């Protein structure tokens, strides 16, 4: 319900949602143009601080990817 109200309030309508930003994954393209998932360069205690300079809508989630060896196949505690 909140999302529908936000869409109406900000007059977003049915505009497409932009691609997500993944701050902590280490995904690269090799010389052949293949997508490679490397071990992350970040540490379990690393974080990012963002500052909104205007009103915005933000959606956050953990990585739901379970079909590829993300994070070097390791799960860490925060």
């Amino acid at each position: 319900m909140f999302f529908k109200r936000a869409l109406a309030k900000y007059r977003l309508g049915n505009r497409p949602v932009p691609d997500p930003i993944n701050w902590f994954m280490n995904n690269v393209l090799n010389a052949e143009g293949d997508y490679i998932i490397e071990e992350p360069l970040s540490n379990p205690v690393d974080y990012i601080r963002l500052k909104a300079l205007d009103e915005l809508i933000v959606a956050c989630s953990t990585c739901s990817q379970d079909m590829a060896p993300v994070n070097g196949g390791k799960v860490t505690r925060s």
Side-chain angles (χ1 to χ4, degrees):
M1 190 64 164
F2 170 79
F3 188 69
K4 287 184 180 181
R5 285 194 307 259
L7 288 175
K9 177 180 178 181
Y10 295 103
R11 296 184 292 280
L12 296 175
N14 290 326
R15 296 188 334 200
V17 176
D19 288 333
I21 297 172
N22 194 323
W23 299 104
F24 295 108
M25 285 180 70
N26 184 18
N27 302 335
V28 297
L29 293 176
N30 67 12
E32 292 77 35
D34 294 321
Y35 182 77
I36 306 296
I37 302 172
E38 299 285 345
E39 288 202 33
L41 302 174
S42 58
N43 295 305
V45 296
D46 290 346
Y47 65 95
I48 294 174
R49 181 178 295 173
L50 304 173
K51 181 178 181 179
L53 301 177
D54 203 349
E55 288 188 46
L56 60 111
I57 298 172
V58 176
C60 298
S61 76
T62 60
C63 180
S64 59
Q65 173 60 274
D66 64 354
M67 303 299 288
V70 297
N71 296 328
K74 301 174 199 144
V75 177
T76 58
R77 293 178 189 250
S78 58

